[in-house]
Amino acid sequence: MQIQQNISLKPFNTFGIDVSANYFVSVSTIEELKYILSLKAYPNKLILGGGSNILLTKNFEGLVIHINLKGIEIVSEDSDFVFVKANAGENWHEFVLWCINNDFGGVENLSLIPGNVGTTPIQNIGAYGVEIKDTFESCDAISIEKHAIKTFKKQDCHFDYRNSIFKNEAKGKYIVTSVTFKLTKQNHKLHINYGTIASELDAMHIKNPTIQDISKAVISIRESKLPNPKIIGNSGSFFKNPVVPIMHYNKLLQNFEDMPSYPVSNTEVKIPAGWLIEKAGFKGKRFGNYGVHKNQALVLVNYGNAKGLDILNLSILIQETIKRLFDIYIEAEVNIL
Ligand code: EPU
């Protein structure tokens, strides 16, 4: 482990923004992490996992700690379930493939989501009708102040749509070091009714899908809609889908009769932000080297050498336009730094 100086963060954020950090260190063990946290010389610290949910708008004056804790192990199992612990620095999709290759079910709908295992509980990642909370058993996290490891059980995490305790009360206080998942070994519970999964399986001529088939279908849908961050910089959905009062939605329907919605409660509905952004005319719009993705309006993209501030300003313009047109505030899902 070595603390490096003046390092470009471009390879460490999926938006591919080229800003630098004064100091940078990659930690591969808990002991290294504890040691780094104890150093008084670097009061300003930024924790980076897979860098898939961050927009960097300026150079970072301080120490970037890159979490590179690796390893996947089976903690316990019976005939129905297996408990698998994955360290925070494992790439999420590679972990999903490991589960699928072992025929462990529960995370197949979450195939191809960028980022690392350690970030998954923070924003309760979700796709195609499944969220991380559905298989999450617990996670270990180290306190940034006291350097002690604490275990968070599922009920401690207050999971909600793209939200958890780590974005609220525990924000900036802990670093997730590992996550333990409860996965099925047989009688897998398949989720195929969401979005276009069923039609994708039909197109693949699959009548009785396995978790392997579902993973393939999800990968194919994601590849057709979402840009590959290795080719076009992006951070997945830039905004959350807004939840609005049904009364407000009904009022909007008078002018926008094709506005889609999903039920949330007796009084609220969720509206796809992608639809609002498309309706506002931003879908596929390119402003030089950044813009809005052509196949999914919820995704902002860096075509190469874009500045984080340009993307931030575009996101504000989109928010203001949506507010003006629909009187709805769309909150950024991505962390802005
Ligand atoms: N839509 C449009 N235009 C667009 C995009 C979407 O009209 O350009 C409308 C359509 O009506 C479509 C609906 O929005 O049917 C839903 O679109 P999609 O299935 O692509 O899902 P989403 O709500 O836009 C969410 C997640 C994605 C996740 C997909 C699939 C959020 C913020 N995003 O997107 O997650 O992959 O569902 O489950 O909830 C991510 O978080 O980074 C992410 C990619």
Side-chain angles (χ1 to χ4, degrees), residues 134-154:
D134 303 327
T135 49
F136 179 95
E137 177 67 14
S138 66
C139 69
D140 283 351
I142 188 164
S143 142
I144 292 177
E145 275 285 299
K146 300 199 173 110
H147 320 153
I149 303 263
K150 177 177 155 106
T151 299
F152 290 77
K153 304 291 287 178
K154 190 197 296 221

Side-chain angles (χ1 to χ4, degrees), residues 255-322:
N255 288 327
F256 306 97
E257 56 186 27
D258 56 339
M259 182 182 281
S261 70
Y262 308 104
V264 170
S265 67
N266 289 338
T267 55
E268 290 175 317
V269 290
K270 194 186 272 180
I271 300 178
W275 187 93
L276 299 170
I277 299 169
E278 179 169 351
K279 202 73 182 174
F282 284 104
K283 189 170 181 172
K285 272 263 166 79
R286 184 169 174 163
F287 306 83
N289 48 13
Y290 62 97
V292 179
H293 189 52
K294 63 181 188 330
N295 297 335
Q296 165 52 292
L298 206 45
V299 179
L300 305 188
V301 290
N302 170 12
Y303 290 105
N305 301 320
K307 296 268 172 279
L309 260 186
D310 288 337
I311 294 175
L312 176 62
N313 285 335
L314 171 60
S315 77
I316 294 169
L317 175 66
I318 292 173
Q319 281 173 324
E320 287 172 353
T321 310
I322 301 298

Side-chain angles (χ1 to χ4, degrees), residues 107-321:
V107 287
E108 54 283 353
N109 291 48
L110 304 176
S111 297
L112 211 60
I113 294 183
N116 288 353
V117 166
T119 355
T120 60
I122 295 175
Q123 52 155 347
N124 182 24
I125 62 165
Y128 306 102
V130 172
E131 291 181 329
I132 199 73
K133 72 164 170 43
D134 303 327
T135 49
F136 179 95
E137 177 67 14
S138 66
C139 69
D140 283 351
I142 188 164
S143 142
I144 292 177
E145 275 285 299
K146 300 199 173 110
H147 320 153
I149 303 263
K150 177 177 155 106
T151 299
F152 290 77
K153 304 291 287 178
K154 190 197 296 221
Q155 62 273 23
D156 301 329
C157 293
H158 308 165
F159 287 126
D160 201 351
Y161 169 59
R162 295 293 191 278
N163 209 354
S164 76
I165 191 170
F166 301 107
K167 286 187 122 183
N168 296 287
E169 302 95 287
K171 189 175 177 169
K173 295 188 180 145
Y174 291 93
I175 302 168
V176 174
T177 54
S178 69
V179 184
T180 302
F181 300 91
K182 182 183 180 182
L183 304 166
T184 48
K185 285 172 71 180
Q186 54 180 347
N187 303 321
H188 300 310
K189 197 161 177 273
L190 306 181
H191 299 268
I192 54 171
N193 295 326
Y194 187 95
T196 47
I197 295 195
S199 53
E200 189 68 34
L201 289 167
D202 269 352
M204 290 159 64
H205 306 292
I206 289 163
K207 295 260 171 309
N208 297 306
T210 60
I211 59 171
Q212 289 77 9
D213 297 327
I214 292 178
S215 174
K216 279 190 197 131
V218 167
I219 289 173
S220 159
I221 299 168
R222 288 190 78 97
E223 283 179 338
S224 71
K225 273 193 173 183
L226 298 166
N228 178 349
K230 290 196 178 117
I231 300 166
I232 301 178
N234 76 89
S235 207
S237 304
F238 195 93
F239 303 99
K240 288 188 195 180
N241 288 328
V243 173
V244 304
I246 290 182
M247 283 203 343
H248 185 52
Y249 174 66
N250 285 339
K251 215 165 92 193
L252 287 167
L253 275 182
Q254 292 168 8
N255 288 327
F256 306 97
E257 56 186 27
D258 56 339
M259 182 182 281
S261 70
Y262 308 104
V264 170
S265 67
N266 289 338
T267 55
E268 290 175 317
V269 290
K270 194 186 272 180
I271 300 178
W275 187 93
L276 299 170
I277 299 169
E278 179 169 351
K279 202 73 182 174
F282 284 104
K283 189 170 181 172
K285 272 263 166 79
R286 184 169 174 163
F287 306 83
N289 48 13
Y290 62 97
V292 179
H293 189 52
K294 63 181 188 330
N295 297 335
Q296 165 52 292
L298 206 45
V299 179
L300 305 188
V301 290
N302 170 12
Y303 290 105
N305 301 320
K307 296 268 172 279
L309 260 186
D310 288 337
I311 294 175
L312 176 62
N313 285 335
L314 171 60
S315 77
I316 294 169
L317 175 66
I318 292 173
Q319 281 173 324
E320 287 172 353
T321 310

